[in-house]
């Protein structure tokens, strides 16, 4: 952000701007150190400022070509009455990208940084602007300010001015915050440096004291946005009252742009579990629900954007265990009930957020059991039904995620199977979208765990088994491939059915179980070995050709010496059974 001109600066113009006046002024400035009086120097500087005000780019080019920048370095002294004007001119020319490196090359940074130690408020203001503009999007400018130690002095100034609420101090604070923002923007090293200087608690305090000052508040928010991406910053933010201050500020906002600016700070901060809980306790959720209510039926672009941001942030807050449980309130919380109402909504965004919220609430057995007992499953199946044909993939994925999580507790499996969840999920067997395939497979695998009847029913479904065998070869999608293998194995392990094994053998699935036995994941190795042992124990003639053609006795034999004892023992058992049968 380029720091604008100070409106209150009194230029006391001594000449009317004309091209020849500018040329004369530049010539005089070049010899100023030897024979110019203070008055003529002031006149030249005023002429430059007037020219910059009328045509900044053209005037800056002329200043660069004249070689006057090098002269400015000698004029930047605390004792000179012209120092503020020189710094102002530098700030103005540095608004142009092409002038920032020349300012560095002219040696202006060290004297500017030295001026940060003076007491004159106008000098400090213009110096802060000059340094901030030179740093804007300039690697060389930032490096030079870093090397001269400028950031440390500015942080000290902000700390000492923090509690002062007079207009002059607030203006200076705004410029200094802007300077730090430009200095550290998108630069992890410099952001870490500021964090280590302890700038975060100072800026949070600043926000609380000066929340009525729009310009200063905006600078603080942009600075927070810069810093909040770093993990180390979130730890520091967690020790401040940032959550309370941001929520307080958010409640006052009416304009979309201001809300969006606060959202941009909240989103990265809310990735931290401690701050999630702080935001919940500060009342952010109520603000988000209010936004959803106000914008859900609107077709205005800003309202649609706010609806998405608010509902996304709501889901993010539910990723923290403590914040999630606080909002669940035993399944009776008003927030939980409001989120449930999003699922049957006509808004895809709210359907998505509602399903994701349920998936996040379903992260412990108690919550899952309560939700299944209170009819959540039917709401999710109804939602899936609305998205079977040409449906929204993200909504499909979210609803399947929620069902998968709900199916984890043992007591929920039979209830969900009775409710028809398996049939609802199988409708998406035709999906060509890997994220949907992955969640579909995971949901079915959770549902049939220790459910022999359901495992047998699904295992005899030739279309399902054929699709699984196909996905077992999805090398571009490791997650889908892994889940397909695990579901094949699970169908055998939980059904212990000859019919299921025949279906899998006829579909060419045995080779995938053998491959699975050599997986790098111990759990998958063990699951595959158990399935192979069961096949052998059931003495099926279809298996003989598979044993001979693939020689998987050798694979199993190697696993006997596996470092994991469970895998090694299962391999020995499987080998014995296969040896007997062959």
């Amino acid at each position: 952000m380029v720091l604008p001109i100070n409106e209150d600066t009194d230029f006391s113009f001594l000449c009317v701007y004309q091209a020849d006046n500018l040329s004369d002024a530049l010539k005089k400035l070049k010899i100023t150190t030897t024979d110019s009086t203070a008055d003529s120097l002031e006149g030249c500087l005023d002429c430059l400022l007037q020219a910059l005000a009328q045509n900044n780019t053209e005037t800056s080019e002329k200043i660069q070509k004249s070689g006057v920048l090098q002269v400015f370095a000698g004029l930047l002294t605390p004792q000179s009455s012209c120092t503020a004007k020189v710094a102002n001119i530098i700030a103005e020319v540095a608004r142009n990208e092409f002038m920032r490196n020349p300012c560095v090359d002219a040696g202006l940074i060290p004297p500017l940084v030295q001026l940060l130690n003076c007491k004159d408020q106008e000098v400090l203001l213009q110096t802060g602007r000059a340094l901030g503009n030179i740093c804007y999007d300039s690697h060389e400018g930032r490096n030079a300010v870093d090397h001269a130690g400028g950031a440390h002095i500015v942080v000290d100034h902000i700390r000492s001015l923090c509690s002062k609420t007079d207009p002059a101090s607030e203006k200076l604070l705004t410029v200094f915050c802007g300077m730090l923002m430009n200095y550290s923007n998108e630069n992890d090293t410099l952001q870490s440096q500021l964090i280590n200087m302890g700038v975060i608690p100072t800026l949070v305090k600043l926000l609380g004291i000066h929340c009525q000052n729009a310009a200063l508040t905006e600078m603080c928010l942009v600075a927070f946005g810069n810093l909040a991406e770093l993990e180390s910053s979130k730890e520091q933010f967690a020790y401040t009252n940032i959550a309370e201050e941001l929520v307080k500020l958010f409640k006052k906002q009416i304009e979309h742009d201001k809300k969006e600016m606060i959202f941009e700070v909240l989103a990265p901060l809310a990735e931290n579990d401690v701050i999630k809980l702080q935001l919940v306790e500060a009342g952010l959720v109520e603000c988000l629900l209010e936004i959803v209510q106000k914008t859900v039926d609107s077709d205005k672009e800003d309202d649609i954007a706010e609806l998405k941001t608010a509902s996304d942030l709501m889901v993010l807050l539910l990723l923290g265990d403590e914040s999630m449980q606080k909002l669940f309130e035993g399944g009776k919380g008003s927030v939980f009930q409001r989120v449930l109402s999003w699922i049957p909504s006509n808004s895809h965004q709210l359907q998505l957020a509602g399903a994701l919220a349920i998936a996040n609430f379903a992260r412990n057995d108690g919550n899952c059991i309560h939700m299944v007992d209170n009819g959540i499953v039917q709401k999710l199946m109804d939602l899936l039904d609305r998205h079977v044909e040409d449906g929204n993939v993200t909504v499909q994925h979210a609803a399947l995620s929620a069902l998968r999580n709900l199916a984890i507790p043992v007591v929920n499996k039979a209830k969900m199977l009775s409710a028809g969840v398996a049939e609802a999920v199988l409708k998406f067997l035709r999906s060509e979208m890997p994220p949907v395939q992955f969640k579909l497979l995971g949901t079915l695998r959770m549902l049939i765990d220790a459910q022999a009847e359901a495992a047998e029913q699904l295992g005899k479904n030739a279309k399902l088994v054929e699709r699984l065998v196909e996905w077992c070869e999805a090398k571009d999608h490791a997650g889908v491939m892994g889940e397909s293998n695990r579901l094949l194995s699970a169908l055998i392990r939980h059904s212990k059915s000859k019919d299921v094994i025949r279906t899998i053998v006829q579909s060419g699935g045995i080779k995938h179980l053998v491959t699975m036995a050599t997986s790098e994941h111990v759990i998958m190795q063990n699951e595959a070995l158990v399935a192979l042992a069961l096949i052998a124990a059931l003495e099926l003639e279809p298996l003989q050709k598979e044993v001979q053609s693939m020689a998987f006795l050798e694979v199993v034999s190697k696993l006997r010496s596996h470092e994991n004892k469970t895998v090694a023992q299962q391999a020995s058992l499987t080998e014995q059974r296969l040896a007997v049968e062959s």
Side-chain angles (χ1 to χ4, degrees), residues 525-561:
Q525 289 179 328
N526 203 47
E527 289 174 353
L529 288 169
V530 172
L532 290 171
L534 278 168
I535 294 170
L538 291 170
E539 303 179 25
L540 287 173
E541 291 294 330
L543 186 60
Q544 297 304 318
K545 288 180 183 176
E546 301 289 341
V547 174
Q548 291 162 9
S549 64
M550 290 187 295
F552 60 70
L553 276 170
E554 185 181 342
V555 171
V556 176
S557 179
K558 284 181 181 175
L559 289 172
R560 281 189 307 145
S561 57

Side-chain angles (χ1 to χ4, degrees), residues 243-253 259 262-263 266 278-295 306-307 309-311 313-314 317 327 334-335 338 342:
E244 186 184 330
E245 294 296 350
L246 287 176
V247 172
K248 195 193 305 178
L249 188 64
F250 190 85
K251 287 177 179 177
K252 296 176 184 174
Q253 304 309 316
K259 289 181 185 175
I262 300 172
F263 273 139
L266 288 170
Q278 291 172 352
L279 289 169
V280 168
E281 290 173 340
L284 177 61
V285 171
E286 288 73 18
C287 296
L288 299 178
L289 290 173
E290 189 179 335
I291 287 174
V292 169
Q293 190 174 349
K294 285 181 179 176
T295 59
E306 269 189 40
L307 175 69
T309 308
S311 53
L313 187 52
M314 183 76 196
L317 291 175
L327 294 172
S334 60
V335 173
R338 289 277 290 278
W342 294 356

